[in-house]
């Protein structure tokens, strides 16, 4: 079982959560999923041009659900390594 350092984990997920919340996202269930991605990919994963482009092109907050589903369920992560 992986040992988790809570302070390190919080520092890892907090920056991208704050950036997303500053855009008006407050749905806790969606924020939890976003935090999981940040924990996996790093605190600045959301600053990657691919992710930023997707976020910038969202017309409504509801588009975030589609983006989140795409990130969780597809191979988009390969783009993070480019």
């Amino acid at each position: 079982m992986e040992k988790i350092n809570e302070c390190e984990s919080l520092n890892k997920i907090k920056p991208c959560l704050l950036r997303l919340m500053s855009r008006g996202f407050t749905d806790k269930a969606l924020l939890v999923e976003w935090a999981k991605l940040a924990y996996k990919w790093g605190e600045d994963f959301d600053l990657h041009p691919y992710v930023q482009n997707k976020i910038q092109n969202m017309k409504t907050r509801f588009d975030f659900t589609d983006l989140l589903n795409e990130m969780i369920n597809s191979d988009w992560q390969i783009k993070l390594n480019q």
Side-chain angles (χ1 to χ4, degrees):
M1 180 176 214
E2 179 184 357
K3 191 171 189 173
I4 297 175
N5 181 312
E6 293 173 3
C7 290
E8 285 179 20
S9 297
L10 182 59
N11 287 334
K12 192 171 185 180
I13 64 174
K14 188 176 178 182
C16 75
L17 282 177
L18 290 175
R19 284 189 289 270
L20 192 63
M21 290 169 58
S22 74
R23 294 177 179 262
F25 293 92
T26 57
D27 183 289
K28 290 181 183 175
L30 295 178
L31 291 173
V32 166
E33 294 305 316
W34 197 248
K36 289 178 188 176
L37 291 171
Y39 185 77
K40 180 176 182 178
W41 294 103
E43 64 194 46
D44 293 331
F45 89 96
D46 62 313
L47 296 178
H48 188 280
Y50 178 80
V51 178
Q52 281 294 303
N53 184 50
K54 291 284 192 176
I55 291 172
Q56 296 291 334
N57 289 322
M58 286 191 279
K59 305 256 188 287
T60 70
R61 292 183 194 159
F62 299 106
D63 294 336
F64 181 69
T65 304
D66 293 335
L67 172 62
L68 188 59
N69 287 334
E70 177 187 345
M71 290 182 180
I72 292 170
N73 297 318
S74 72
D75 292 331
W76 75 273
Q77 296 94 332
I78 293 169
K79 295 180 185 323
L80 289 179
N81 297 322
Q82 294 177 344

